[in-house]
Amino acid sequence: MIRRPALRALTTAVAAAALALTATQAATAATAAAPAVAAAKATQGDDNPFSVMDLDGLRAEYRFMCPAGHCVGYWSLVLTDEVARKRYAGGEFFVYAPAKGDFGFFLDGDIATRTVKKASQVRIVDSEFTRTHPRFEVRYGNPEQPKKARVVATSTIWMR
C-alpha cells in the first residue's frame, strides 16, 4: 500500500516529467512546424475520410491544431456557408444518428462537446461515431427532444 507522502512524491515526479516533456516537444515542434505544415498540405487531398460520404449542408475541411506546440492536421465536417448563414435562435446544434438514437460530438477548439450554440462551432471530426453510423444529421433545437429538432445538414454513406 502506498502511503500519502510517497504518493505525493510520485505525483510531483510525474508532473515534473510531463512538464519537461511538453517543453521539449514545444521547442522541437516550433522548429519543425513549417516543414510539417507544408508536408501535410501536400497530402491533405489523399486521406479525406469523408470523401465516401454524401454530404448535404456539410463540407469537408482540412485544418491544423497545435496543442502544446505540436501541430497536427486533421479533417472535419463543417456547415456549408449557405447553411451557416441562416438564422438560428432558441436551441443548440447537436449530431444525431436517427436510426439508433445515438449522439455524436463536435470539436470546439480542442474540446469534444455534445452541443454548440453557434453555427460556426459545428465541427465534426472523423471518429468512431462517424464510421459506425451510415447516416447522421446535424440538428438544431433541444437535444433532449431530438426527434422534434430541425435537421440542418446530413451525411450518408450509401451501400456499395
Side-chain angles (χ1 to χ4, degrees):
M1 179 174 202
I2 297 177
R3 303 258 184 229
R4 284 185 190 235
L7 185 58
R8 284 188 193 128
L10 179 62
T11 303
T12 303
V14 169
L19 286 173
L21 181 61
T22 301
T24 302
Q25 286 177 336
T28 303
T31 60
V37 168
K41 282 187 178 180
T43 62
Q44 72 182 359
D46 302 340
D47 60 350
N48 177 355
F50 306 113
S51 62
V52 297
M53 297 178 176
D54 182 14
L55 303 174
D56 182 19
L58 292 166
R59 65 180 169 80
E61 181 177 276
Y62 193 76
R63 301 275 313 257
F64 286 96
M65 181 186 328
C66 298
H70 179 69
C71 295
V72 292
Y74 67 97
W75 284 95
S76 61
L77 293 176
V78 297
L79 295 176
T80 61
D81 293 339
E82 181 181 326
V83 173
R85 276 193 297 264
K86 292 182 180 177
R87 183 167 162 80
Y88 300 97
E92 297 177 287
F93 291 94
F94 57 95
V95 182
Y96 184 68
K100 293 185 179 179
D102 293 340
F103 290 87
F105 64 90
F106 298 114
L107 185 64
D108 189 11
D110 61 351
I111 299 170
T113 182
R114 184 174 168 208
T115 65
V116 293
K117 299 256 186 218
K118 300 177 188 173
S120 62
Q121 294 174 300
V122 171
R123 181 166 305 280
I124 306 165
V125 294
D126 182 29
S127 66
E128 185 70 21
F129 179 84
T130 60
R131 285 184 243 118
T132 58
H133 292 85
R135 179 178 173 86
F136 60 86
E137 303 167 341
V138 175
R139 293 189 176 196
Y140 186 79
N142 182 352
E144 300 303 318
Q145 298 177 338
K147 293 180 181 179
K148 292 182 179 182
R150 176 173 70 164
V151 176
V152 297
T154 62
S155 171
T156 307
I157 300 174
W158 300 104
M159 294 181 70
R160 294 172 209 138

